[in-house]
C-alpha cells in the first residue's frame, strides 16, 4: 500500500501550505529523508524530505497549489529491493518526516544544497551535460524571491552545485543592491510597477463579539492603496511575512480577550553577576549570556506552579494543558519578527538555555530555521527591553494562553527594608493572557512565582 506524504504544519498558527515545486517526478526513486518537494510558507521556505524510501507513485498536489495542513500531497510505493537504489545520504539535521504528530514532528532544514545533490539520476548523460543542466537550474524558491525583488537572475552568481542559484544567493544580491546609493530609487520604481497583491481578509470575529466594530481598521487599510505615489507619499507593498504577521496579530486580538498585568522585579543580583561574569562566560563557552535565560528559567518555574498558563483554548470550548514546556522566543530579524521554539525548556540549565537561545537566534537571522523550529511553542517570552523599552504590552501568539514581555533593566532609587532608599537594577515584566483561560488571580500568581525566582538569586549564581 502506498505511503502518503502529507503537507506539514509550517508554523504554530498556519493552517495551510503551498507546494513550491517538486524535486522528483512521478516514477523517480527517492531515498528516505531525501528532499522531495519545496514548501512555501510566509515565514520560512523549506524542503520536505521523503518519509520512506521508495518510488514516487503519484503527485497529488501540483506546484503553486495551496492545501490544508495534513492533506496528502503525494504517494510513495515502498520497495523492499532497496539495493537497486543509490545509497542514501544522511539527513542535514534531525530525522525528517512529514508532520503528522506535532509533538514528534521532525523537519527539514532550510538549505538548498541537499536538494541540488538529490536530483541526480542514472540517465546515462555525460558529466559535462549533467553539469550544464545543473548550472541552468534555478531553485523555485530563488525564482520566487527574484520575482518579488525584481532581480535579474542573469546577474546573480549561483553558489549551489554546478552554479545553481539558491535563495541565499538572491538574498545576498538584494542586500548588496540595497546597500548601493541608487537602490532607493530603483526599489521604489519597482514597487510601483508591480501589481498590488491581494491582502488576505482577516478571520471573522467569534460569535458574541459582534459588538466590537473595528471601524477605524478597515478605513485605514483601504485608504493607503488609494494614495497615489508622489513626492510626499510612498506606497509600499507588504512582504509575505508582513502580511502573515498582520493577519496573525488581528486574529489573535479578535480570538482571545486579552488582559494584561505588570510586576516590577529587582534584578540587582543578576545584573551584578552578569557584569562580573558575562565576558568570561562568552570566552569560555563561545556564546553569550544575558537576562533572557534567567527570565525563561523563572517562567518554567512559574508554569510548574501554574500549569494552566501553559495551555490553549480549542474551537470546541475545551482547555488543553500542555505537559511539555516549549518556550517560544521572539527574535527580531531584518525581514520581520520570528518566534522559534526551544523544546523542553525546563530541562536546561541557565547555560544550556543561553546556548539554545543563541542557536535559534542565529538560525533565525541567517534564514536557516527549520519547520520544527517554528512549531509547538506553548508559551512565549519577548524581550523588547533590548531596545530600551520600559513597559511593553505584547499580543498573544496564538494558540498560546499567554506571552511575557521583559523590558529594560534600569537603575533607579527604590525603597527597601526599613524604609531605606537604595539604587537597584529594576525591570518590569508584562504578562498578556487569554482571559477565557485564566483570571487575574491566576495570572498574578504566575507573575509572582516568576518574580520570586528572579529575586531569590544571590550574589553567586551557578549557571550550570
Amino acid at each position: 500500500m502506498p505511503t502518503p506524504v502529507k503537507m506539514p504544519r509550517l508554523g504554530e498558527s498556519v493552517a495551510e501550505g503551498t507546494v513550491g515545486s517538486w524535486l522528483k517526478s512521478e516514477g523517480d526513486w527517492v531515498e528516505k529523508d531525501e528532499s522531495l518537494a519545496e514548501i512555501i510558507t510566509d515565514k520560512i521556505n523549506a524542503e520536505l524530505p521523503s518519509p520512506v524510501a521508495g518510488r514516487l507513485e503519484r503527485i497529488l498536489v501540483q506546484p503553486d497549489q495551496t492545501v490544508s495542513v495534513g492533506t496528502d500531497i503525494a504517494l510513495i510505493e515502498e520497495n523492499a529491493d532497496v539495493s537497486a537504489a543509490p545509497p542514501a545520504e544522511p539527513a542535514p539535521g534531525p530525522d525528517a518526516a512529514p508532520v503528522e504528530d506535532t509533538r514528534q514532528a521532525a523537519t527539514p532544514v532550510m538549505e538548498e544544497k541537499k536538494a541540488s545533490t538529490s536530483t541526480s539520476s542514472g540517465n546515462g548523460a555525460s558529466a559535462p551535460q549533467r553539469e550544464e543542466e545543473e548550472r541552468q537550474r534555478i531553485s523555485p524558491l530563488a525564482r520566487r524571491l527574484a520575482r518579488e525583488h525584481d532581480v535579474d537572475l542573469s546577474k546573480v552568481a549561483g553558489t549551489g552545485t554546478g552554479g545553481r542559484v539558491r535563495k541565499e544567493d538572491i538574498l545576498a544580491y538584494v542586500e548588496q543592491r540595497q546597500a548601493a546609493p541608487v537602490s532607493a530609487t530603483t526599489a521604489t520604481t519597482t514597487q510601483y510597477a508591480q501589481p498590488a497583491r491581494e491582502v488576505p481578509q482577516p478571520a471573522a470575529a467569534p460569535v458574541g463579539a459582534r459588538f466590537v466594530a473595528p471601524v477605524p481598521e478597515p478605513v485605514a487599510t483601504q485608504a493607503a492603496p488609494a494614495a497615489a505615489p508622489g513626492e510626499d507619499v510612498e506606497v509600499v507593498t507588504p512582504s509575505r511575512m508582513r502580511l502573515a504577521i498582520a493577519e496573525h496579530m488581528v486574529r489573535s486580538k479578535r480570538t482571545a480577550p486579552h488582559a494584561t498585568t505588570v510586576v516590577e522585579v529587582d534584578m540587582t543580583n543578576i545584573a551584578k553577576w552578569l557584569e562580573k561574569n558575562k565576558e568570561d562566560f562568552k570566552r569560555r563557552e563561545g556564546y553569550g549570556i544575558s537576562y533572557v535565560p534567567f527570565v525563561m528559567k523563572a517562567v518554567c518555574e512559574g508554569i510548574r506552579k501554574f500549569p494552566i498558563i501553559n495551555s490553549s483554548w480549542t474551537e470546541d470550548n475545551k482547555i488543553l494543558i500542555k505537559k511539555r514546556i516549549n518556550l517560544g522566543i521572539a527574535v527580531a530579524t531584518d525581514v520581520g519578527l520570528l518566534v522559534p521554539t526551544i523544546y523542553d525548556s525546563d530541562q536546561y540549565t541557565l547555560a544550556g538555555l543561553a546556548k539554545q537561545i543563541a542557536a535559534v537566534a542565529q538560525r533565525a537571522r541567517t534564514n536557516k530555521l527549520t519547520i520544527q523550529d517554528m512549531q509547538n511553542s506553548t508559551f512565549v517570552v519577548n524581550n523588547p527591553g533590548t531596545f530600551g523599552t520600559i513597559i511593553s504590552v505584547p499580543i498573544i501568539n496564538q494558540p498560546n494562553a499567554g506571552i511575557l514581555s521583559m523590558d529594560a533593566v534600569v537603575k533607579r532609587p527604590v525603597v527597601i527594608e526599613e524604609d531605606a532608599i537604595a539604587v537597584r537594577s529594576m525591570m518590569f515584566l508584562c504578562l498578556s493572557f487569554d482571559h477565557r483561560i485564566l483570571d487575574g488571580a491566576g495570572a498574578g500568581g504566575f507573575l509572582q512565582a516568576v518574580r520570586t525566582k528572579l529575586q531569590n538569586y544571590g550574589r553567586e549564581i551557578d549557571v550550570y
Side-chain angles (χ1 to χ4, degrees):
M1 182 177 178
T3 300
V5 179
K6 297 182 180 295
M7 173 62 70
R9 183 173 295 277
L10 304 175
E12 190 67 45
S13 61
V14 178
E16 59 185 18
T18 301
V19 175
S21 70
W22 287 98
L23 303 177
K24 292 288 186 179
S25 302
E26 289 185 355
D28 286 354
W29 177 270
V30 60
E31 289 292 343
K32 186 178 185 298
D33 296 333
E34 186 177 3
S35 295
L36 187 63
E38 291 179 296
I39 304 298
I40 306 297
T41 166
D42 293 316
K43 291 202 171 184
I44 61 171
N45 301 329
E47 293 181 359
L48 177 66
S50 173
V52 295
R55 194 97 31 205
L56 181 57
E57 182 180 276
R58 187 178 176 191
I59 292 175
L60 303 176
V61 177
Q62 300 305 313
D64 294 325
Q65 187 176 348
T66 301
V67 296
S68 300
V69 168
T71 301
D72 292 350
I73 61 176
L75 297 175
I76 295 178
E77 184 65 52
E78 294 186 64
N79 192 331
D81 185 16
V82 295
S83 60
E89 295 181 8
D95 291 343
V99 178
E100 295 176 311
D101 182 349
T102 57
R103 285 174 57 89
Q104 299 177 352
T107 55
V109 177
M110 287 175 44
E111 294 181 351
E112 303 291 341
K113 183 175 181 180
K114 183 69 180 292
S116 63
T117 59
S118 66
T119 54
S120 60
S121 60
N123 57 8
S126 63
Q129 181 180 353
R130 287 199 301 270
E131 290 178 1
E132 180 61 22
E133 290 173 355
E134 185 73 17
R135 187 173 294 107
Q136 296 302 320
R137 288 189 62 226
I138 298 171
S139 162
L141 302 183
R143 190 176 293 110
R144 282 176 178 270
L145 285 173
R147 284 200 303 266
E148 290 179 6
H149 295 281
D150 194 35
V151 172
D152 184 354
L153 288 168
S154 64
K155 297 180 180 179
V156 180
T159 60
T161 303
R164 185 188 190 208
V165 177
R166 308 183 302 159
K167 65 178 182 292
E168 289 85 354
D169 302 325
I170 300 296
L171 293 173
Y173 179 86
V174 170
E175 184 177 352
Q176 292 174 0
R177 186 177 65 181
Q178 289 175 345
V182 297
S183 61
T185 305
T186 306
T188 304
T189 306
T190 301
Q191 287 175 338
Y192 298 151
Q194 290 180 339
R197 296 182 186 174
E198 181 180 350
V199 179
Q201 295 299 319
V207 176
R210 59 187 177 203
F211 64 91
V212 180
V215 177
E217 292 180 13
V219 170
T221 308
Q222 294 169 2
E231 225 175 271
D232 299 327
V233 178
E234 178 183 2
V235 178
V236 177
T237 301
S239 65
R240 288 167 57 96
M241 182 183 289
R242 190 75 256 161
L243 290 174
I245 293 172
E247 186 275 334
H248 191 190
M249 295 298 98
V250 171
R251 179 163 52 83
S252 181
K253 293 292 284 187
R254 290 184 175 179
T255 299
H258 282 54
T260 302
T261 185
V262 181
V263 297
E264 192 175 25
V265 183
D266 188 341
M267 300 287 286
T268 302
N269 286 342
I270 297 175
K272 288 181 177 179
W273 186 91
L274 286 172
E275 183 179 2
K276 179 181 177 182
N277 296 281
K278 65 179 180 180
E279 293 301 328
D280 288 340
F281 180 91
K282 187 171 184 178
R283 278 195 299 268
R284 182 172 63 251
E285 302 295 340
Y287 52 88
I289 188 170
S290 65
Y291 294 107
V292 180
F294 288 91
V295 173
M296 293 182 75
K297 193 69 175 175
V299 165
C300 293
E301 186 82 11
I303 290 175
R304 288 196 194 97
K305 294 182 178 179
F306 295 87
I308 191 68
I309 198 74
N310 201 50
S311 65
S312 59
W313 186 277
T314 67
E315 292 182 358
D316 57 348
N317 295 327
K318 300 289 192 303
I319 297 176
L320 300 180
I321 299 179
K322 315 294 177 60
K323 300 299 184 181
R324 298 174 67 186
I325 301 177
N326 301 330
L327 296 185
I329 176 72
V331 179
T333 70
D334 293 338
V335 293
L337 184 68
L338 297 171
V339 187
T341 303
I342 298 177
Y343 287 79
D344 299 312
S345 302
D346 56 322
Q347 303 300 312
Y348 291 101
T349 63
L350 288 168
L353 280 172
K355 183 177 182 178
Q356 294 299 315
I357 292 166
V360 297
Q362 176 68 13
R363 291 200 297 274
R365 293 178 178 129
T366 56
N367 197 29
K368 292 183 179 178
L369 286 173
T370 67
I371 295 176
Q372 190 175 19
D373 284 331
M374 300 298 291
Q375 291 179 335
N376 304 329
S377 69
T378 58
F379 189 88
V380 173
V381 174
N382 185 26
N383 181 28
T386 190
F387 303 109
T389 61
I390 302 301
I391 296 180
S392 304
V393 180
I395 297 176
I396 297 170
N397 185 41
Q398 291 297 321
N400 298 162
I403 179 173
L404 183 75
S405 273
M406 47 181 293
D407 287 284
V409 176
V410 179
K411 286 185 177 181
R412 59 174 174 269
V414 297
V415 178
I416 58 174
E417 294 84 357
E418 299 181 358
D419 291 339
I421 297 178
V423 175
R424 310 291 288 179
S425 296
M426 307 299 293
M427 177 181 71
F428 286 107
L429 292 178
C430 182
L431 173 70
S432 290
F433 59 95
D434 188 338
H435 219 321
R436 298 174 300 176
I437 296 176
L438 71 164
D439 300 320
F446 167 76
L447 272 184
Q448 180 66 30
V450 173
R451 178 172 64 179
T452 299
K453 175 68 174 178
L454 290 170
Q455 293 186 161
N456 279 349
Y457 283 108
R459 294 293 184 92
E460 297 299 323
I461 300 174
D462 182 8
V463 297
Y464 299 99

